[in-house]
Amino acid sequence: MMTSIARRAGHGLTYAVLGWAVAYGGVRLAWTVGEAPVFRQFGSDLVGFTGWRSVALCLAAAVLAVALDRVSTWRPVLAGVAWAVTGALVAAAAILLPELVGFLLFVVSPHFDPTAFASRLGCVTGAALLGLATARYQRRTRGDCPQCCRTGRPGHRRAVPARWARWAAYVAVAGLVTRFAAQVAVGFDSLVQNPSVIGLEVGLLLAGALLPLALVHRWGEVWPGWVPLLAGRPIPRLLLLVPGFGLGAGIVAYFGVGLVQLMTGSVSEFSDTFLWVAMSAYWVLGLGLLAASGDYHLRTRRACGACGR
């Protein structure tokens, strides 16, 4: 019964990816063969994957979704390619990160383009759907339990973070400290002139200082005593996992693209030395967030009712 329900849910996820590929891929195809909108700020809505490359990316996602649903054995190459396409979709919409942070802090750039923003949201939606399909494929083909597909000894659950997760969190904070040390060295004049950049910096300051540490400490699972009305209550895990994975992936994609552009000699108002230090530090911050979030997810998920894992 449970296996049948899970199978139907898996088919639904496959259809969701296919529906997204038809809808979003259709828009990309129409813009490629016809007349695309004029995007004011960056000249394009996506980074790196425009024109026929964006159409190919949607087609690849659709083909992979079907393959992930049909293949019943573990194929590392298939999973690797699926995660690579998922990462490419996230990287293509990397500009979405500063826009979302700006919205959260009520700071909107004067160059904001609603069409480009909607397109980036559509691209990230496809990445999320394909990522879920890939994760489901891994659980279905690699696990020991037919219901939860987890591995390990029944009843054996870690109560404390893994050592590597703690190191990842501290490295993430170190990346943040390095980033702002570089800013202190060059000054803040250019920073304070751009409201959208200010929003991004403030948001990343909060995420980089508090979020990594919360993921690997007890006060990230139970509200500490100084929090009114909530002290001692469990913290909803999604409250940390959503920003942990979301910001981590966004930071890695956004500043990963920035590092690639820096390698190609893109012109900027900042010195190359500052950009290399700042972008690398942010990239380290994103990787640390992803690693710490992964451990937090494994440590705090509910035990399976069938196997106890």
Side-chain angles (χ1 to χ4, degrees):
M1 177 75 175
M2 293 296 295
T3 303
S4 176
I5 294 175
R7 186 63 178 170
R8 287 198 298 271
H11 287 320
L13 189 56
T14 302
Y15 295 145
V17 177
L18 292 176
W20 167 85
V22 170
Y24 188 72
V27 172
R28 305 303 312 184
L29 180 61
W31 287 355
T32 300
V33 300
E35 184 176 353
V38 177
F39 300 106
R40 298 188 298 270
Q41 185 174 11
F42 299 101
S44 176
D45 56 330
L46 301 182
V47 178
F49 293 91
T50 56
W52 287 109
R53 283 173 292 183
S54 64
V55 176
L57 206 57
C58 295
L59 179 61
V63 172
L64 285 167
V66 174
L68 292 168
D69 186 61
R70 296 293 181 87
V71 176
S72 58
T73 57
W74 170 240
R75 304 287 178 83
V77 174
L78 175 60
V81 172
W83 282 121
V85 172
T86 300
L89 288 168
V90 174
I95 302 172
L96 187 65
L97 175 64
E99 292 179 325
L100 291 177
V101 173
F103 286 154
L104 291 175
L105 297 174
F106 304 102
V107 178
V108 180
S109 170
H111 304 291
F112 175 73
D113 189 326
T115 303
F117 178 75
S119 175
R120 292 167 193 142
L121 276 181
C123 189
V124 168
T125 299
L129 291 173
L130 183 59
L132 289 173
T134 307
R136 176 188 168 275
Y137 166 74
Q138 292 187 177
R139 292 194 302 268
R140 178 169 56 85
T141 57
R142 294 183 65 187
D144 297 330
C145 174
Q147 290 192 22
C148 73
C149 303
R150 298 173 186 173
T151 59
R153 299 198 308 272
H156 179 70
R157 296 173 61 83
R158 283 191 294 110
V160 296
R163 180 176 298 179
W164 57 264
R166 290 187 181 275
W167 275 108
Y170 297 142
V171 166
V173 175
L176 180 75
V177 172
T178 301
R179 164 64 182 89
F180 279 93
Q183 188 68 59
V184 170
V186 300
F188 290 85
D189 293 340
S190 299
L191 174 64
V192 299
Q193 296 174 1
N194 192 331
S196 63
V197 174
I198 294 175
L200 175 62
E201 298 285 348
V202 173
L204 291 177
L205 176 62
L206 295 175
L210 297 178
L211 186 55
L213 298 178
L215 290 166
V216 296
H217 286 88
R218 179 63 177 170
W219 50 271
E221 299 179 38
V222 178
W223 292 105
W226 51 266
V227 179
L229 303 178
L230 296 175
R233 296 185 180 184
I235 296 178
R237 60 198 302 268
L238 291 181
L239 191 63
L240 296 183
L241 286 178
V242 171
F245 281 122
L247 280 175
I251 290 171
V252 169
Y254 183 76
F255 291 102
V257 170
L259 286 171
V260 172
Q261 292 176 335
L262 189 58
M263 293 177 187
T264 62
S266 299
V267 179
S268 171
E269 60 183 298
F270 300 103
S271 68
D272 286 351
T273 301
F274 169 77
L275 289 176
W276 274 113
V277 173
M279 289 188 180
S280 298
Y282 271 141
W283 205 61
V284 168
L285 167 62
L287 291 175
L289 269 177
L290 287 175
S293 298
D295 178 78
Y296 185 87
H297 162 66
L298 296 176
R299 194 175 72 253
T300 60
R301 63 184 178 179
R302 292 181 179 180
C304 173
C307 69
R309 295 182 177 91

